Amino acid sequence: MKRLGNIMFQGLVAMLPALLTLYILFWLVSSAETVLGGMLKVLLPAGWYIPGMGILAGLVVTFLFGLALNAFLVRRLLDLGEKLADNIPLIKNLYGSLKDFIGFFAKQKESQFNQVVTIDLEFGGKPMRMIGFVTRSDFSGLPEGIGTDGEIAVYLPLSYQIGGCTVIVPRSSVTPVNISTHRAMGFVVTGGMTADKGQNANTSP
């Protein structure tokens, strides 16, 4: 029975990411069809609506919103909305965490953001290392005191939650790690249980 339970658990672990991904995609598609499709049914003449037009409208709206972000007025309105959200405690924490988390993956195309490093620390007299991601190596254009030449900004994500902290440290205090950002993030987020997609980290502590 124990072996049977282990096999069932392994199957669940392998299937769960795919099932969750499919569920999220299905939810997004069905939501777009329900909300935007319902609006189109009201706006269009009777008989004009075709199933699937809500999804198409969602794609068009997303594309147009991306184009609108380049407009100065739209950016000012978004900045104003973010400032208002910062004054509401619960919304501030939720929106800020989600924005940072999504922005993390959106910025992975930047070459410096693909650098994974470790920072040497000491806890209880024992040496330890934290995995981080270099987010900035040039502080020009920022207010004085944030960072100087020879320093870099490193983002330290937390395991099993959305969040982390950014530290400014000397470049010499970090050690580059030859690992992809996706693999390193998976390792950190799962508390070291996963080293890669579908591969468990079997290294001894």
Side-chain angles (χ1 to χ4, degrees):
M1 291 298 295
K2 183 178 180 180
R3 178 174 176 79
L4 180 61
N6 290 334
I7 294 176
M8 292 290 292
F9 179 75
Q10 291 175 357
L12 179 63
V13 171
M15 292 173 55
L16 195 57
L19 292 176
L20 288 176
T21 301
L22 292 175
Y23 175 78
I24 292 174
L25 290 176
F26 175 79
W27 178 80
L28 289 173
V29 170
S30 60
S31 298
E33 181 65 20
T34 300
V35 177
L36 297 177
M39 296 175 60
L40 290 176
K41 290 179 180 179
V42 175
L43 297 175
L44 295 177
W48 283 39
Y49 178 79
I50 301 175
M53 292 182 66
I55 301 174
L56 180 61
L59 295 176
V60 173
V61 169
T62 303
F63 177 76
L64 293 177
F65 187 75
L67 290 178
L69 289 178
N70 295 319
F72 175 78
L73 179 59
V74 175
R75 284 194 170 274
R76 293 291 296 177
L77 291 175
L78 289 176
D79 291 340
L80 179 60
E82 290 186 353
K83 290 180 180 179
L84 293 176
D86 286 339
N87 295 324
I88 306 175
L90 181 60
I91 295 180
K92 172 184 177 181
N93 295 334
L94 181 61
Y95 175 77
S97 299
L98 290 175
K99 181 182 177 182
D100 293 340
F101 184 73
I102 296 174
F104 173 83
F105 293 99
K107 293 180 180 179
Q108 285 190 16
K109 294 182 179 180
E110 299 179 9
S111 58
Q112 67 174 6
F113 201 78
N114 287 328
Q115 181 61 63
V116 182
V117 297
T118 59
I119 297 180
D120 295 327
L121 303 172
E122 186 173 313
F123 183 76
K126 301 294 184 179
M128 58 179 289
R129 295 190 301 276
M130 288 193 69
I131 297 178
F133 304 85
V134 178
T135 59
R136 180 180 290 272
S137 57
D138 182 11
F139 297 93
S140 59
L142 295 178
E144 185 178 354
I146 293 182
T148 60
D149 292 339
E151 292 183 328
I152 57 176
V154 180
Y155 173 67
L156 303 175
L158 301 177
S159 300
Y160 293 104
Q161 59 181 301
I162 299 175
C165 60
T166 302
V167 295
I168 310 298
V169 297
R171 191 185 302 271
S172 58
S173 65
V174 302
T175 303
V177 180
N178 186 20
I179 185 175
S180 67
T181 305
H182 288 285
R183 189 176 180 186
M185 177 57 76
F187 181 84
V188 174
V189 169
T190 60
M193 295 180 61
T194 302
D196 206 347
K197 294 181 179 178
Q199 178 180 353
N200 292 331
N202 295 320
T203 55
S204 301

